[in-house]
């Protein structure tokens, strides 16, 4: 007899004589009702045992966390809360669990405790729902690009270029840290290192993705990226997954259209395909909201928030317009912001981004055309505006509750302009010779963006801390598991 998953059994609409299922015991009530879960769905299947038919010693081993194999008859449930249940014929304990020490007890656990037990936290409803959603979202990402003619490109994890300027990098080296080979001036001689030069973990696959966009046309990467920034926030990881499409012959407007369409598509996918998990998380959030004072509660439920994003246009606002809004805003005038916006050119802090999306526009916002000197070297320079100010064709997409979800731009395709910019920023042309080649041989308008996958998962699950949407978070002072 082939074993079925709990999800398969629960979706049966007929009774079945002989079924077999394996999973982990969530609870065993009244020596009679086993709630069994195998991770295939948020729901448990109820297995009913008649204790008179079973050895007492065997039933004693049916404890929370134990792995068991059950066979029996699938019947319409007598009780409330489930449509079908299994009347158990045979019961085998595959793996015992010690009820004294098993960390995941059938009661509410704090997220901090569960982070310390991240290897077992997906045995809870919340984390199994989050991780099924994460999996579903990543499938939706590949599905979207596949259906839209993109090639999936694997950009390197170890990189020899550190010119992106996106953040502090982790060094990759196999030199003896205690006794490295030295140059005459006392500096480390990386010529003797594994790659014969200094190498790092990548902060972004963009520059390499550009090379493939300029030959395959439409490409995307979806892989891990690493940043050694010491930011201990609920939205930063040292290792996170980034989705980066890059498209030839596409300008910034096309880039905004792509990003918006893409995000609506993947969020729409989980609304369709992860209903039960979303309903569970929706309810979890509702309970959490109830514990907050009325004024701080969020008006929309999780599912309503996702639907709102899928059904409404993102607001597109230039940096210059945003600065005007912020300068005239109440928190700016009353000096409530930590960073008061005074002049055009100021970098936006997350308090400003949150004000724009959560208080002012109350929807996702695409900010574009940022001042050139607060953005990366590769972004395409605009003509100076009527006041002679220099901006670049950059865009950031800001989400309620999350802040920056996407960063992207149209790329500088003019060799002379790019070279000048690199010179001004002291970026060595020799290091990026291949990047400059793209501008020498058949250069063309092209654009792309990077979306922080964990921030998308946060939005789709309503989880408040980025450490709770990736299996094993890497953050300052923490690389357990
Ligand atoms: O804005 P960023 O730094 O953009 C780039 O790296 C570009 N090269 C992308 C491109 O154009 N292809 O990062 C992109 C996104 C951010 O908007 C944010 O969502 C996420 O990556 N991100 C992080 N997510 C988690 N932890 C961190 N430390 C992150 N840093 C950036
Ligand atoms: Mg950014």
């Amino acid at each position: 007899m082939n074993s079925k998953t709990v999800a398969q059994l629960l979706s049966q609409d007929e009774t079945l004589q002989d079924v077999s299922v394996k999973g982990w015991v969530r609870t065993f009530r009244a020596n009679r009702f086993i709630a069994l879960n195998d991770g295939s769905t948020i729901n448990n299947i109820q297995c009913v045992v008649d204790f008179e038919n079973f050895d007492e010693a065997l039933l004693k081993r049916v404890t929370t966390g134990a792995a068991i194999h059950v066979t029996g008859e699938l019947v319409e449930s007598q009780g409330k809360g489930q449509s079908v249940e299994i009347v158990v014929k045979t019961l085998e304990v595959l793996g015992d669990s010690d009820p004294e020490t098993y960390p995941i007890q059938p009661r509410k656990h704090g997220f901090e405790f569960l982070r310390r037990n991240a290897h077992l936290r997906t045995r809870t409803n919340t984390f199994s729902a989050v991780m099924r959603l994460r999996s579903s979202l990543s499938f939706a990402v590949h599905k979207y690009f596949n259906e839209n003619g993109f090639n999936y490109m694997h950009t390197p994890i170890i990189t020899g270029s550190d010119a992106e300027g996106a953040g502090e990098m982790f060094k990759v080296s196999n030199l003896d840290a205690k006794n490295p080979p030295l140059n005459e001036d006392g500096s480390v001689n990386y010529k003797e290192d594994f790659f014969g030069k200094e190498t790092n973990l990548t902060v972004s696959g963009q520059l390499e993705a550009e090379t493939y966009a300029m030959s395959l046309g439409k490409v995307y990467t979806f892989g891990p990226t690493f940043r050694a920034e010491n930011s201990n926030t609920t939205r930063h990881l040292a290792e996170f997954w980034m989705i980066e499409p890059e498209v030839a012959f596409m300008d910034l407007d096309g880039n905004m259209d792509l990003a918006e369409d893409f995000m609506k598509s993947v969020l729409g996918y989980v609304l369709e395909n992860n209903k039960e998990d979303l309903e569970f998380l929706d309810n979890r959030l509702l309970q959490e909201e109830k514990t907050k004072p009325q004024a701080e509660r969020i008006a929309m439920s999780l599912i309503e928030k996702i639907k709102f994003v899928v059904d409404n246009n993102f607001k597109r606002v230039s940096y210059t317009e945003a600065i005007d809004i912020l300068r005239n805003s109440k928190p700016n005038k009353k000096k409530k912001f930590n960073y008061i916006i005074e002049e055009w050119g100021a970098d936006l802090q997350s308090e400003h981004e949150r004000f724009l999306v959560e208080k002012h526009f109350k929807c996702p916002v695409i900010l574009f055309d940022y001042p050139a000197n607060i953005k990366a070297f590769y972004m395409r320079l605009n003509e100076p505006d009527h006041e002679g100010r220099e901006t670049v064709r950059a865009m950031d997409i800001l989400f309620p509750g999350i802040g920056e979800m996407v960063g992207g731009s149209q790329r500088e395709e003019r060799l002379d302009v790019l070279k000048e910019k690199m010179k001004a920023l002291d970026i060595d042309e020799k290091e990026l010779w291949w990047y400059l080649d793209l501008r020498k041989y058949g250069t063309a308008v092209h654009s792309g963006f990077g979306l922080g996958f964990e921030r998308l998962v946060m939005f789709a699950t309503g989880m408040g801390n980025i450490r709770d949407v990736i299996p094993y978070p890497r953050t300052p002072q923490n690389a357990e598991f």
Side-chain angles (χ1 to χ4, degrees):
M1 199 188 333
N2 280 337
S3 284
K4 285 201 158 52
T5 64
V6 173
Q8 284 171 327
L9 292 174
L10 291 178
S11 62
Q12 287 284 340
D13 42 20
E14 56 191 63
T15 57
L16 290 172
Q17 278 297 315
D18 290 301
V19 295
S20 161
V21 63
K22 293 170 185 169
W24 294 271
V25 175
R26 283 289 174 83
T27 55
F28 185 23
R29 237 173 355 101
N31 227 10
R32 190 165 165 78
F33 303 107
I34 304 171
L36 192 67
N37 191 283
D38 66 353
S40 60
T41 155
I42 188 93
N43 299 307
N44 305 325
I45 191 151
Q46 175 155 286
C47 306
V48 187
V49 291
D50 186 347
F51 62 86
E52 285 180 356
N53 298 341
F54 293 90
D55 192 20
E56 205 187 317
L58 176 69
L59 292 185
K60 272 222 167 95
R61 293 169 59 205
V62 181
T63 60
T64 298
I68 64 169
H69 178 199
V70 158
T71 68
E73 193 179 343
L74 188 74
V75 299
E76 236 177 87
S77 177
Q78 308 298 306
K80 274 193 193 149
Q82 62 274 323
S83 56
V84 291
E85 62 191 18
I86 297 173
V87 178
V88 179
K89 281 184 202 145
T90 71
L91 169 68
E92 184 189 356
V93 175
L94 303 171
D96 291 277
S97 173
D98 182 349
E100 295 298 311
T101 58
Y102 183 56
I104 312 296
Q105 295 295 324
R107 60 176 161 82
K108 241 182 157 24
H109 292 289
F111 286 163
E112 186 51 48
F113 170 83
L114 290 171
R115 268 170 228 144
R116 288 197 301 274
N117 289 283
H119 59 308
L120 293 170
R121 66 178 174 172
T122 32
R123 295 200 191 176
T124 66
N125 284 334
T126 299
F127 284 91
S128 67
V130 168
M131 293 308 162
R132 272 188 301 270
L133 267 157
R134 182 183 168 107
S135 169
S136 195
L137 270 172
S138 41
F139 174 75
V141 168
H142 289 299
K143 183 172 180 290
Y144 177 87
F145 287 124
N146 184 268
E147 286 172 357
N148 286 281
F150 283 73
N151 286 292
Y152 178 29
M153 175 194 182
H154 297 119
T155 48
I157 305 284
I158 299 174
T159 170
S161 69
D162 62 355
E164 159 92 6
E168 285 294 306
M169 303 183 90
F170 288 103
K171 284 194 168 46
V172 175
S173 168
N174 72 343
L175 292 177
D176 181 355
K178 278 201 209 108
N179 189 21
L182 298 178
N183 293 313
E184 274 174 12
D185 65 2
S187 60
V188 174
N189 181 4
Y190 285 102
K191 287 206 179 82
E192 286 191 33
D193 204 348
F194 189 90
F195 297 104
K197 64 188 288 199
E198 274 194 83
T199 47
N200 298 291
L201 292 178
T202 187
V203 293
S204 158
Q206 177 200 324
L207 303 193
E208 290 90 351
E210 280 187 55
T211 66
Y212 269 40
M214 297 306 283
S215 50
L216 301 181
K218 290 163 116 182
V219 299
Y220 73 105
T221 77
F222 182 6
T225 48
F226 307 86
R227 296 190 186 177
E229 9 178 28
N230 207 349
S231 29
N232 238 323
T233 77
T234 54
R235 300 180 307 128
H236 288 88
L237 291 166
E239 175 180 293
F240 64 99
W241 286 65
M242 199 174 359
I243 299 156
E244 296 180 275
E246 193 71 33
V247 181
F249 313 115
M250 186 176 77
D251 64 9
L252 191 72
D253 290 320
N255 206 19
M256 293 188 211
D257 293 343
L258 173 67
E260 187 169 339
D261 188 54
F262 165 70
M263 294 175 85
K264 287 178 172 172
S265 165
V266 295
L267 289 170
Y269 180 86
V270 293
L271 280 179
E272 265 309 298
N273 292 280
N274 294 71
K275 287 202 175 90
E276 288 178 337
D277 288 329
L278 281 175
E279 275 160 19
F280 175 83
L281 292 169
D282 200 309
N283 196 43
R284 185 195 82 78
L285 219 58
L286 197 74
Q287 303 305 324
E288 199 180 88
E289 286 299 308
K290 278 189 191 155
T291 66
K292 293 182 187 166
Q294 193 82 34
E296 286 170 30
R297 289 186 201 167
I298 304 164
M300 269 191 247
S301 79
L302 175 63
I303 293 174
E304 283 168 345
K305 262 191 339 197
I306 300 174
K307 283 201 173 128
F308 181 86
V309 168
V310 171
D311 295 337
N312 290 282
N313 290 337
F314 296 6
K315 184 83 191 162
R316 301 184 186 191
V317 186
S318 75
Y319 168 88
T320 303
E321 290 170 75
I323 284 290
D324 282 342
I325 293 167
L326 288 168
R327 214 187 283 155
N328 295 316
S329 69
K330 252 195 207 159
N332 204 60
K333 287 185 168 159
K334 294 194 166 166
K335 304 215 182 314
K336 287 270 158 63
F337 285 142
N338 288 321
Y339 295 86
I340 303 303
I341 299 282
E342 273 157 13
E343 305 217 357
W344 189 96
D347 206 352
L348 300 185
Q349 305 296 322
S350 68
E351 57 181 345
H352 308 126
E353 297 178 344
R354 295 193 86 132
F355 174 83
L356 289 170
V357 284
E358 284 160 25
K359 297 272 158 30
H360 191 82
F361 290 110
K362 298 188 165 70
C363 71
V365 174
I366 311 183
L367 284 185
F368 62 92
D369 285 352
Y370 281 77
N373 62 0
I374 58 171
K375 287 290 184 186
F377 77 96
Y378 51 71
M379 297 184 177
R380 195 183 194 284
L381 197 61
N382 284 312
E383 287 296 313
D385 72 3
H386 61 282
E387 292 186 35
R389 297 176 300 205
E390 289 208 320
T391 57
V392 285
R393 298 246 74 192
M395 66 161 191
D396 274 8
I397 305 186
L398 314 176
F399 258 57
I402 307 283
E404 182 189 331
M405 180 87 87
V406 166
S409 67
Q410 185 174 319
R411 318 305 188 188
E412 184 55 76
E413 85 284 11
R414 297 162 299 182
L415 183 63
D416 52 335
V417 182
L418 186 60
K419 273 183 162 173
E420 209 165 297
K421 187 65 172 283
M422 286 168 65
K423 203 164 141 197
L425 293 174
D426 217 12
I427 299 170
D428 192 355
E429 277 185 29
K430 272 190 234 121
E431 215 190 299
L432 284 178
W433 61 275
W434 50 274
Y435 191 71
L436 292 169
D437 263 6
L438 299 176
R439 278 77 183 164
K440 276 190 210 157
Y441 307 115
T443 193
V445 166
H446 64 288
S447 305
F449 63 84
L451 182 150
F453 184 56
E454 283 73 23
R455 294 195 183 167
L456 182 68
V457 182
M458 283 176 82
F459 181 75
T461 57
M463 298 298 278
N465 192 323
I466 200 164
R467 293 167 179 80
D468 296 330
V469 300
I470 187 165
Y472 298 108
R474 269 57 179 124
T475 51
Q477 300 298 309
N478 172 40
E480 192 67 41
F481 305 102

